[in-house]
Amino acid sequence: MSSKAQILKELLEYHFNSLDETLKNLEEKEMHYKPTEESNNIDWIVNHLTRISNTALPRIIKGDPNYKPAGWADDYKDHCYGINKYRSDLAAGKKTIYEGLEKLTDAQLEEEIPLWGGTKKRKEGLFAYIGEIVSHKGQIAYLRGTVKRLKAKNPAFLA
C-alpha cells in the first residue's frame, strides 16, 4: 500500500471508530428525533453514511461510477433499516473500503476519474467523502447531545 493510501486508511479508521462510539447505545426513538420538521434525523444520517461506505467511497476507490455491492438495494435510501442492519452494512462497507485502499498506488490517487459531472483526481473524491463522514458524525453527536440534555430536563422526553 502506498504511504498516502495508508494515511487515508488510518484517517478513515479513526473516524469510523469515532462514529461507532457516537452510535453506541442508540435507541430507536432517538433515531427518529428531529429538532425541527426540516431537520434530518439520525436514521436518515446513518442511512446516508451507510450508502457512502458501500457505494460512494468504493466507486471512487475502484474508479467505477456504477459499482454497488452484490445484493445492494437500488432504493436503499428510501427505507429505515434500524441500527443493527446499519451497523452490519457499515462494517461491510468499511471492509470494502479498507481492502480497496490497500491496493491503491500514489499514481492511482492522482489519477483523473469520473466524478460529479466531470473528472477529478481520485484523491479529491476521497477527501470529499471522508469529510462527509466527519461532518455527519458531528450532526449525530449534536442530535444525541440535544436528546441527552432534553431528557435531563424532562425524564419523560422520548419515553
Side-chain angles (χ1 to χ4, degrees):
M1 171 181 344
S2 82
S3 60
K4 291 178 182 179
Q6 177 65 37
I7 290 169
L8 290 173
K9 182 181 176 201
E10 289 176 19
L11 179 66
L12 275 161
E13 287 173 334
Y14 174 84
H15 287 296
F16 276 129
N17 289 339
S18 180
L19 174 62
D20 288 342
E21 283 297 312
T22 303
L23 295 174
K24 204 177 254 184
N25 302 317
L26 180 64
E27 296 177 8
E28 192 69 26
K29 286 184 180 180
E30 191 176 358
M31 284 186 72
H32 300 286
Y33 168 73
K34 292 167 52 165
T36 69
E37 187 57 36
E38 295 79 16
S39 300
N40 290 323
N41 59 27
I42 293 173
D43 184 88
W44 185 94
I45 297 167
V46 177
N47 181 298
H48 181 60
L49 288 170
T50 304
R51 288 181 281 124
I52 287 170
S53 301
N54 283 276
T55 60
L57 278 166
R59 285 174 180 170
I60 292 167
I61 292 167
K62 295 172 182 294
D64 177 358
N66 299 310
Y67 170 81
K68 67 178 185 175
W72 188 260
D74 289 333
D75 63 348
Y76 190 98
K77 70 179 181 172
D78 299 325
H79 299 281
C80 298
Y81 291 103
I83 194 61
N84 291 331
K85 175 156 176 53
Y86 289 141
R87 284 185 190 280
S88 174
D89 289 346
L90 281 167
K94 287 187 280 190
K95 183 178 186 295
T96 301
I97 292 165
Y98 297 158
E99 288 172 355
L101 286 172
E102 289 172 1
K103 297 174 185 170
L104 286 180
T105 65
D106 286 347
Q108 288 172 312
L109 288 169
E110 299 296 332
E111 184 178 40
E112 296 274 337
I113 62 169
L115 288 172
W116 311 301
T119 60
K120 296 190 184 316
K121 290 184 179 187
R122 177 178 274 117
K123 70 180 182 182
E124 291 177 28
L126 294 171
F127 295 162
Y129 279 109
I130 292 169
E132 287 273 308
I133 293 166
V134 175
S135 174
H136 290 307
K137 189 218 45 117
Q139 291 172 335
I140 295 167
Y142 158 76
L143 289 167
R144 295 211 66 195
T146 299
V147 167
K148 182 178 178 180
R149 286 185 293 284
L150 290 169
K151 282 183 173 184
K153 283 176 116 176
N154 176 7
F157 181 75
L158 291 184

